[in-house]
């Protein structure tokens, strides 16, 4: 073997083979460096033509959104822990915007603000991704709201009905039962085929854990996606979470599904955005919020709608939650949201203290859309409930002065008190349509007038059981959306009366 052969075998051949494996294409990657970093934002320099809202990638797999574009430096919202980044660290542009996984594989899962699973149940089984920010459907793609979304809560379904595709604000002070209402609305979708998304923003981990546990116990987890950006997470993650959750919902809506989404809560979302904006040195406005604070919420909630059939026919119902301070519903963020949404459910701490739960203040709450699609049976028994109830409250405060009352007034007061008792409802005790209709009919028709307020809850159960047992066909029709004819009404009243009398006799015999 010549020297050349030996050389070629030991030196050149491996070289040749290595050369074949080399991909000689040039890959361009713009590299920039961090100038300063902290508290959820980074100032970077070195990009030549970065786009607004483009995703950039830091070391340790941390992502960021290019936000403030200036000639000399760029402000980036960091979607991760800024403590792990240092000035001088390199970052690169990605050429895309923030996107999240979508699809049925997400149902039953708990994910973070970027759709990454955090429940320890392994990776998501989906390859499809969609950008988190998308334009809302244009008007021509939208259909009127025409199907009710039953929450199973009497006070809401009767007095402040919500329709599929509507945006209804839940607002109230801290610890007034806001989350409880949203969770009950999700739990009540058991037989309706409505999918749910619960998006927790800036909350304590224990509060989120409680919601997850409630949903699991109520058997709702497998048709729910839980998106969590906790109070300890980066403000950037808290900021994108609701948009990400909406993108996940829109995927189902485009397939013709009805989706219910809860943003809990947008006060904390606004605060996270305010923090980011101040750190990015944007000029502060009212209450130190930046000028586009209205726009960040309106572009989110405008995505809730009911689509026309030719565009999928699905719907997205939004229940944003907002926390007020000292019952001030005319503060900046609450008023913004009141003006964006189609109504609000107001929870009063005073009612909560009195034990009137859920603490819904019917006079201050309104639904600007859902009333038109309320089930006919509800309209028949609770059509004038709001008016009647507010008259009763007025009378009651008047009667407190020890005024002499005529019989008519006294009857109104008695009846109003029974209606008030009927509107009480414990957590997770969501009721189906016939159960609610029976209770409301019994109260408004005066069947409960002779029953002491404390015994109304027991009587309510009696009448609900009675109508389900003796009028099953009628109950089914009511649930399916049939109107309540005079005969139906009489039949229900007769059945309920009989049941109450039977109960009374039973009690008398027991006492004797
Ligand atoms: N209808 C109800 N019946 C009985 N208890 C209720 C009812 N609604 C809420 N609660 C209780 O009231 C407390 C506060 O409820 P919840 O956490 O829903 O309020 P919140 O307004 O969401 O509070 P936060 O401001 O902390 O988010 C909870 O302990 C809950 O169990
Ligand atoms: Mg809450």
């Amino acid at each position: 073997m010549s020297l050349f052969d030996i050389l070629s075998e030991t030196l050149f051949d491996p070289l040749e083979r290595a050369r074949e494996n080399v991909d000689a294409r040039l890959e361009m990657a713009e590299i920039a460096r961090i100038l300063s970093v902290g508290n959820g934002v980074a100032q970077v320099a070195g990009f030549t033509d970065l786009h607004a809202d483009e995703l950039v990638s830091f070391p340790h797999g941390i992502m960021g959104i290019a936000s403030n574009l200036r000639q000399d430096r760029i402000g980036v919202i960091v979607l991760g822990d800024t403590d792990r980044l240092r000035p001088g660290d390199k970052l690169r542009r990605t050429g895309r915007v923030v996107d999240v996984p979508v699809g049925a594989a997400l149902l039953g899962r708990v994910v973070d603000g970027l759709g990454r699973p955090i429940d320890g149940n392994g990776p998501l089984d989906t390859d499809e991704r969609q950008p988190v920010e998308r334009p809302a459907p244009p008007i021509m793609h939208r259909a009127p709201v025409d199907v009710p979304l039953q929450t199973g809560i009497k006070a809401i379904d009767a007095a402040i009905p919500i329709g599929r595709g509507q945006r209804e604000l839940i607002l109230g002070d801290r610890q007034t039962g806001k989350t409880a209402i949203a969770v009950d609305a999700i739990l009540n979708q058991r037989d309706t085929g409505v999918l749910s998304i619960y998006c927790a923003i800036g909350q304590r981990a224990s509060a989120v854990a409680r919601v997850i546990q409630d949903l699991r116990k109520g058997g709702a987890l497998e048709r729910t996606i839980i998106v969590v950006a906790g109070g300890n997470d980066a403000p950037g993650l808290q900021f994108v979470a609701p948009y990400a959750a909406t993108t996940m919902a829109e995927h189902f809506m485009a397939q013709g599904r009805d989706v219910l989404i809860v943003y809990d809560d947008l006060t904390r979302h606004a605060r996270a955005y305010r923090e980011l904006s101040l750190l990015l040195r944007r000029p502060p406005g009212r209450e130190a919020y930046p000028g586009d604070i209205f726009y960040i919420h309106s572009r989110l909630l405008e995505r809730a709608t009911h689509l026309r059939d030719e565009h999928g026919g699905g719907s997205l119902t939004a229940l944003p939650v907002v926390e007020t301070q000292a019952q001030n519903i005319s503060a900046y963020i609450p008023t913004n949201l009141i003006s964006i949404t189609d109504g609000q459910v107001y929870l009063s701490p005073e009612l909560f203290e009195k034990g009137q739960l859920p603490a819904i203040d019917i006079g201050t709450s309104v639904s600007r859309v859902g009333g038109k699609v309320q089930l006919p049976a509800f309209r028949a028994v609770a059509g004038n409930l709001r008016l009647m109830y507010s008259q009763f409250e007025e009378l009651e405060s008047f009667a407190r002065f020890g005024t002499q009352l005529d019989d008519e007034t006294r009857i109104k007061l008695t009846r109003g008190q029974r209606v008030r008792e009927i509107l009480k409802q414990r957590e997770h005790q969501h009721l189906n349509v016939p159960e609610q209709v029976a209770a409301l009919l019994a109260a408004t028709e005066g069947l409960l007038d002779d029953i002491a307020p404390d015994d109304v809850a027991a009587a309510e159960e009696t009448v609900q059981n009675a109508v389900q047992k003796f009028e099953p066909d009628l109950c089914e029709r009511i649930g399916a959306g049939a109107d309540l004819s005079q005969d139906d009404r009489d039949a229900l009243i007769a059945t309920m009366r009989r049941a109450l009398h039977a109960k009374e006799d039973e009690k008398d015999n027991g006492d004797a």
Side-chain angles (χ1 to χ4, degrees), residues 174-180 210 352 357-358 425-427:
R174 54 176 297 279
Q175 287 290 307
T176 47
K178 304 183 294 297
T179 303
R210 199 184 136 201
F352 195 93
L357 292 171
Q425 196 167 339
R426 271 176 296 141
E427 237 177 322

Side-chain angles (χ1 to χ4, degrees), residues 211-460:
V211 170
I212 297 176
Q213 193 189 2
D214 287 348
L215 292 176
R216 180 174 292 132
K217 247 195 252 158
L221 206 55
E222 55 265 34
R223 46 182 171 77
T224 307
I225 304 174
I226 297 173
V227 181
V228 182
N232 292 332
D233 286 336
L237 280 174
Q238 296 182 41
F239 172 65
V240 297
Y243 303 99
T246 310
T247 294
M248 294 169 192
E250 279 171 342
H251 179 77
F252 296 120
M253 174 166 72
Q255 294 172 345
R257 300 294 303 257
D258 294 306
V259 190
L260 168 65
I261 188 162
V262 175
Y263 307 106
D264 196 1
D265 64 55
L266 290 186
T267 312
R268 294 194 175 89
H269 181 245
R271 284 194 202 132
Y273 189 61
R274 173 170 65 182
E275 186 180 336
L276 291 169
S277 300
L278 291 173
L279 288 164
L280 291 168
R281 296 178 188 285
R282 293 197 187 136
R286 191 173 153 189
E287 291 180 23
Y289 286 105
D292 58 347
I293 191 78
F294 185 89
Y295 174 58
I296 68 159
H297 286 156
S298 63
R299 75 171 186 248
L300 173 70
L301 293 169
E302 276 297 306
R303 289 163 74 178
T305 188
H306 176 201
L307 291 176
R308 296 170 76 108
D309 284 340
E310 55 271 35
H311 296 284
S315 73
L316 176 54
T317 313
L319 296 181
V321 176
V322 155
E323 183 184 298
T324 52
Q325 266 163 0
Q327 306 189 48
N328 182 10
I329 59 172
S330 50
Y332 190 29
I333 303 299
T335 39
N336 276 354
L337 282 159
I338 286 172
S339 66
I340 294 168
T341 48
D342 311 304
Q344 75 265 358
V345 174
Y346 178 62
L347 296 165
S348 144
E350 276 141 28
L351 292 177
F352 195 93
E353 267 159 37
K354 279 191 211 156
Q356 173 72 33
L357 292 171
I360 300 172
D361 180 341
I362 294 185
T364 317
S365 303
V366 63
S367 173
R368 299 191 193 100
V369 178
K372 298 185 192 81
V373 298
Q374 194 177 28
L375 287 182
F378 269 109
R379 219 172 302 151
V381 298
N384 58 356
L385 186 79
R386 282 172 62 87
L387 183 66
M388 182 213 141
Y389 197 71
S390 64
Q391 281 174 347
F392 154 69
E393 285 187 319
E394 200 173 313
L395 261 186
E396 195 184 34
S397 60
F398 184 63
R400 234 178 262 146
F401 298 115
T403 342
Q404 289 284 329
L405 300 175
D406 56 46
D407 283 348
E408 198 189 332
T409 314
R410 210 166 301 134
I411 289 173
K412 272 191 183 158
L413 281 176
T414 316
R415 183 125 343 144
Q417 279 156 359
R418 303 307 180 273
V419 171
R420 173 181 285 160
E421 290 301 319
I422 280 291
L423 290 179
K424 284 187 184 169
Q425 196 167 339
R426 271 176 296 141
E427 237 177 322
H428 312 327
Q429 300 287 314
H430 33 88
L431 299 171
N432 64 28
V433 175
E435 284 171 334
Q436 295 193 50
V437 167
L440 291 160
L441 189 64
T444 52
E445 287 292 326
L447 267 60
L448 308 176
D449 285 359
D450 301 331
I451 292 169
D454 285 347
D455 297 335
V456 166
E460 179 185 352

Side-chain angles (χ1 to χ4, degrees), residues 43-109:
Q43 301 289 339
V44 308
F47 290 122
T48 50
D49 104 79
L50 194 65
H51 293 196
D53 291 334
E54 188 172 327
L55 197 64
V56 295
S57 125
F58 292 100
H60 312 297
I62 298 174
M63 307 304 272
I65 306 173
S67 194
N68 263 28
L69 301 184
R70 298 228 210 136
Q71 206 98 67
D72 52 338
R73 60 192 161 85
I74 290 164
V76 177
I77 296 175
V78 181
L79 304 172
D81 189 1
T82 38
D83 289 346
R84 299 173 66 195
L85 302 176
R86 297 272 169 271
D89 280 356
K90 286 182 193 161
L91 65 152
R92 45 167 66 220
R93 61 182 294 190
T94 60
R96 57 192 179 98
V97 291
V98 189
D99 55 12
V100 286
V102 294
L106 282 142
L107 290 169
R109 302 297 303 264

